[in-house]
């Protein structure tokens, strides 16, 4: 796997140029290439395999990337917005002795997973960004269900409490409470099993209602796998 590095001078300049190119291309007034006025930075920034950096080190590096993207976007489009990507692991801790297989197994104890919880990552990131006076960013959450079930309303892993390990639509309020009312929230890459079509329809309706209730700016579905044809 590969990751974006902005810790060197060349890496910083390359990424600044890349984001400026995207912003210039996709915020044109004539809309020639379509329009994209916001960036979701990364994919589940709180979870990363083969990364032995401390939480503060990862928050610092990610914060730098977030600022680069924001400044580049706003240089072309004043209303541009950047979003921090976190996945549904909410309260975890980074420990030694993990494997690539263990990170995705919610049945194993926390000490055998290699991830930071979204809550602690956002807290560390906020501390880092506020220290240099950067406040204008939102949060993009991947609230996938860990259960192989079409009905997300019965997700037993999603406790409606601050110390819950996982976030789904069922306990989405813990994210809103953590980030505050003024921070924009995007929900994306949402998908649900199609094994039970009635439950699937019920889950989509439930998820949409919870997105509205928690003031989401956007609710983006993921591409669904058609098990009959193998097409998306």
């Amino acid at each position: 796997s590969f990751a974006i590095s902005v810790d060197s001078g060349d890496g910083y300049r390359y990424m600044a140029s890349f984001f400026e190119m995207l912003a210039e291309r996709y915020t044109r007034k004539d809309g020639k290439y379509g329009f994209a006025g916001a960036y979701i930075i990364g994919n589940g920034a709180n979870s990363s395999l083969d990364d032995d950096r401390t939480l503060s080190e990862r928050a610092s590096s990610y914060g730098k990337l977030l600022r680069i993207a924001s400044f580049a976007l706003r240089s072309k489009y004043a209303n541009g917005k950047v979003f921090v990507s976190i996945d549904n692991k909410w309260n975890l801790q980074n420990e030694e002795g993990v494997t690539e297989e263990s990170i995705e197994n919610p049945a194993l104890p926390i000490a055998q997973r290699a991830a930071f919880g979204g809550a602690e990552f956002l807290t560390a990131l906020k501390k880092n960004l506020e220290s240099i006076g950067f406040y204008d960013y939102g949060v993009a959450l991947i609230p996938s269900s860990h259960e192989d079930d079409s009905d997300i309303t019965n997700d037993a892993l999603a406790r409606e409490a601050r110390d819950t390990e996982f976030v789904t639509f069922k306990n989405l309020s813990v994210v809103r409470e953590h980030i505050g009312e003024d921070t924009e929230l995007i929900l994306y890459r949402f998908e649900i099993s199609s094994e039970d079509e009635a439950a699937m329809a019920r889950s989509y309706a439930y998820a949409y209602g919870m997105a509205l209730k928690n003031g989401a700016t956007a609710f983006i579905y993921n591409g669904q796998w058609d098990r009959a044809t193998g097409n998306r």
Side-chain angles (χ1 to χ4, degrees), residues 164-177:
T164 184
E165 290 187 41
F166 300 101
V167 173
T168 69
F169 282 92
K170 184 177 181 180
N171 63 350
L172 192 56
S173 60
V174 301
V175 179
R176 174 52 73 191
E177 182 179 352

Side-chain angles (χ1 to χ4, degrees), residues 98-151:
V98 297
T99 66
E100 290 189 4
E101 291 76 25
S102 68
I103 187 174
E104 296 297 343
N105 186 351
L108 293 174
I110 291 176
Q112 295 182 37
R113 302 187 203 125
F116 293 114
E120 62 179 326
F121 182 80
L122 288 173
T123 297
L125 181 65
K126 181 179 180 180
K127 180 179 180 180
N128 174 272
L129 293 174
E130 288 185 345
S131 69
I132 49 95
F134 184 82
Y135 305 93
D136 193 16
Y137 60 93
V139 172
L141 171 70
I142 308 170
S144 305
S145 172
H146 270 264
E147 297 203 341
D148 188 17
D149 193 338
S150 300
D151 194 346

Side-chain angles (χ1 to χ4, degrees), residues 19-230:
F19 284 127
E20 286 177 4
M21 180 274 292
L22 290 179
E24 184 172 15
R25 182 179 178 86
Y26 295 109
T27 61
R28 290 169 52 126
K29 290 183 179 180
D30 61 9
K32 182 177 180 180
Y33 303 105
F35 178 82
Y39 297 151
I40 297 176
I41 307 300
N43 182 46
N46 56 302
S47 296
S48 178
L49 292 171
D50 302 321
D51 190 341
D52 59 359
R53 291 178 298 172
T54 65
L55 176 60
S56 60
E57 288 171 341
R58 282 168 58 176
S60 176
S61 181
Y62 184 84
K64 187 182 296 185
L65 181 62
L66 200 70
R67 296 194 305 274
I68 293 172
S70 178
F71 295 153
L73 176 58
R74 286 174 170 255
S75 71
K76 307 298 180 183
Y77 178 60
N79 295 322
K81 190 84 173 187
V82 291
F83 289 81
V84 179
S85 174
I86 59 171
D87 62 23
N88 68 341
K89 302 175 185 69
W90 188 241
N91 279 296
L92 306 178
Q93 62 187 27
N94 196 35
E95 297 285 353
E96 296 180 355
V98 297
T99 66
E100 290 189 4
E101 291 76 25
S102 68
I103 187 174
E104 296 297 343
N105 186 351
L108 293 174
I110 291 176
Q112 295 182 37
R113 302 187 203 125
F116 293 114
E120 62 179 326
F121 182 80
L122 288 173
T123 297
L125 181 65
K126 181 179 180 180
K127 180 179 180 180
N128 174 272
L129 293 174
E130 288 185 345
S131 69
I132 49 95
F134 184 82
Y135 305 93
D136 193 16
Y137 60 93
V139 172
L141 171 70
I142 308 170
S144 305
S145 172
H146 270 264
E147 297 203 341
D148 188 17
D149 193 338
S150 300
D151 194 346
I152 65 171
T153 64
N154 294 324
D155 193 340
L157 292 173
R159 298 195 308 112
E160 296 181 35
R162 290 186 180 183
D163 62 348
T164 184
E165 290 187 41
F166 300 101
V167 173
T168 69
F169 282 92
K170 184 177 181 180
N171 63 350
L172 192 56
S173 60
V174 301
V175 179
R176 174 52 73 191
E177 182 179 352
H178 184 88
I179 66 176
E181 293 298 325
D182 295 331
T183 299
E184 285 191 64
L185 176 64
I186 283 178
L187 307 167
Y188 77 117
R189 283 186 55 194
F190 177 62
E191 58 186 351
I192 196 71
S193 170
S194 59
E195 290 293 334
D196 182 335
E197 292 186 357
M200 184 183 184
R202 182 166 62 248
S203 291
Y204 273 116
Y206 176 79
Y208 182 74
M210 292 299 286
L212 289 178
K213 182 178 180 180
N214 289 280
T217 300
F219 179 19
I220 305 169
Y221 294 159
N222 197 21
Q224 292 296 303
W225 185 263
D226 186 330
R227 298 191 181 192
T229 65

